[in-house]
Amino acid sequence: MVVGISGGADSTALLISLARMMADLHQQNRHAGFLIAAHFNHGLRGPESDADQQFSSELAEQWGIQFVSARSTQPCQDEATMSAQRMEFLIDTAKQNGARYIALAHSLDDNVETVLHQLMRGTGPAGLCGIGGTRSVDDDLVLVRPMLRISRDRIRAALQEAGQPWREDSSNASVQYSRNWIRHELIPLIQTRYPAAVPAIDRAIQGQKTWRTTIDAHAENWIQQHQLATSPATFRRDTNTDAAILIAAMQRHWKESGWPRGSMTRDHWQRLAKAFQGKEKTVPRFDLPGGVEVQVLDDQVILRDSTN
Ligand SMILES: Nc1ncnc2c1ncn2[C@@H]1O[C@H](COP(=O)(O)OP(=O)(O)OP(=O)(O)O)[C@@H](O)[C@H]1O
């Protein structure tokens, strides 16, 4: 397992927990695999960034864990780009060393902040499920987030109790980044009136995930029963199924076909669902963003990638 370590409280706690679990397994003479601590130096905060790397490397050494690091060749301030650079490094490290898992230390609070961020920026039901606990990167590699149900406060309290220091990232305190603004301004404001808001939102996320799993199972089932041909993708029309399931089925189809979803709005998905439900008889053909052409026949709907 490759563990992404920033030197912050969450990933310090994750690395130590995994190292202890490994030690326990070794003691019981059980196979424990191997751990690699991987740190990506974004190089944005000069000596402070180097000190984070130094801290992470010393922590790994202290626990007898192999340490790998890389430095950004194109330092940038954009959160999404930084995260993508980091993921690329973690995936490369995993592949080069034959690791099957990458572990990240996102906490319950990170999940709640992410959902609030998505909610305000605009999202569908999937975005309200928050960060996934596991995700397949490919057939041989799985991304896991074992700390997702543990609060930031609990993690810090445990580190303090263990006498284990961590690095405080000064850019985490800056409200310049929208995620930090949610963490440092918005959530504390909400908590002045709703002190238990964070665990309450987490429970709503868990509930949403259960709904999502159910809808996904129906969507998968629907595709199996209604897809008549793959090239071009041909589906049987269906007046009985709810729009939510039809939309989830189509979103799965988009993903499997590698079609771009970026410009598909809620209105587009609903229009597509209506085409299946037989309420779109007057429009036999229409186009969707990303070059997908929809042809509506009496008993079938055909989808074609017109850019191919
Ligand atoms: N520079 C980095 N190098 C390697 N892994 C990282 C780095 N920064 C973050 N990660 C991993 O990604 C996870 C989520 O990143 P995020 O920026 O939300 O974390 P963070 O606020 O720095 O948390 P932490 O308290 O773990 O440092 C971290 O918990 C850690 O596992």
Side-chain angles (χ1 to χ4, degrees):
M1 179 180 276
V2 169
V3 186
I5 171 139
S6 66
D10 303 340
S11 50
T12 296
L14 177 61
L15 187 67
I16 292 177
S17 307
L18 291 169
R20 282 194 184 169
M21 283 169 67
M22 288 263 296
D24 284 350
L25 287 170
H26 276 306
Q27 242 179 7
Q28 298 162 18
N29 284 326
R30 287 169 63 192
H31 180 64
F34 61 90
L35 277 183
I36 296 175
H39 176 83
F40 190 74
N41 188 336
H42 290 284
L44 282 180
R45 289 168 291 116
E48 216 184 300
S49 293
D50 295 338
D52 290 347
Q53 178 171 338
Q54 182 71 16
F55 172 90
S56 304
S57 133
E58 284 169 7
L59 183 72
E61 197 186 333
Q62 190 188 332
W63 285 87
I65 297 166
Q66 185 187 341
F67 179 76
V68 179
S69 68
R71 181 178 266 278
S72 173
T73 46
Q74 295 157 305
C76 79
Q77 306 256 359
D78 171 59
E79 283 171 276
T81 314
M82 282 164 67
S83 170
Q85 287 179 338
R86 224 161 42 219
M87 266 324 293
E88 195 184 333
F89 159 69
L90 293 172
I91 291 171
D92 284 351
T93 305
K95 300 223 160 195
Q96 278 162 20
N97 292 279
R100 298 290 308 277
Y101 298 93
I102 294 173
L104 299 178
H106 292 91
S107 66
L108 183 149
D109 300 73
D110 287 324
N111 204 13
V112 168
E113 288 156 14
T114 302
V115 168
L116 284 176
H117 176 71
Q118 318 249 57
L119 194 59
M120 292 181 290
R121 209 187 44 178
T123 189
L128 298 179
C129 292
I131 311 172
T134 58
R135 174 171 75 80
S136 287
V137 175
D138 58 34
D139 285 349
D140 298 319
L141 191 58
V142 179
L143 188 71
V144 294
R145 297 185 174 95
M147 318 272 277
L148 210 50
R149 300 302 310 284
I150 310 179
S151 76
R152 190 174 291 140
D153 283 350
R154 242 185 105 190
I155 294 169
R156 282 163 193 247
L159 286 176
Q160 268 164 351
E161 207 177 298
Q164 172 62 55
W166 65 85
R167 295 276 303 164
E168 213 58 78
D169 178 348
S170 68
S171 70
N172 265 348
S174 151
V175 288
Q176 166 195 358
Y177 299 115
S178 50
R179 293 293 304 280
N180 286 337
W181 176 81
I182 293 173
R183 181 180 301 184
H184 296 290
E185 305 271 336
L186 181 64
I187 290 181
L189 177 67
I190 294 173
Q191 283 168 328
T192 58
R193 194 157 280 247
Y194 300 94
V198 170
I201 295 171
D202 180 56
R203 282 195 301 279
I205 296 171
Q206 301 315 317
Q208 181 70 18
K209 271 189 185 164
T210 311
W211 277 91
R212 185 75 215 175
T213 309
T214 308
I215 297 271
D216 276 348
H218 282 298
E220 175 67 45
N221 208 5
W222 187 91
I223 290 182
Q224 275 171 20
Q225 290 181 356
H226 291 81
Q227 184 155 19
L228 303 170
T230 46
S231 186
T234 308
F235 297 91
R236 207 149 27 89
R237 288 183 81 186
D238 173 10
T239 48
N240 295 322
T241 301
D242 276 351
I245 293 167
L246 294 171
I247 291 174
M250 284 302 103
Q251 290 178 340
R252 276 180 101 86
H253 182 71
W254 249 243
K255 194 170 173 192
E256 273 157 26
S257 310
W259 292 346
R261 261 189 65 172
S263 307
M264 286 289 287
T265 63
R266 191 168 164 70
D267 285 349
H268 291 122
W269 293 117
Q270 276 176 341
R271 183 167 195 210
L272 188 55
K274 278 189 185 143
F276 281 103
Q277 289 173 324
K279 294 172 190 159
E280 196 80 31
K281 284 196 181 109
T282 48
V283 187
R285 195 184 282 267
F286 59 94
D287 292 318
L288 290 171
V292 177
E293 186 189 282
V294 184
Q295 189 183 354
V296 188
L297 305 177
D298 275 348
D299 55 352
Q300 292 175 1
V301 174
I302 302 173
L303 305 174
R304 280 193 190 82
D305 178 359
S306 61
T307 62
N308 257 341

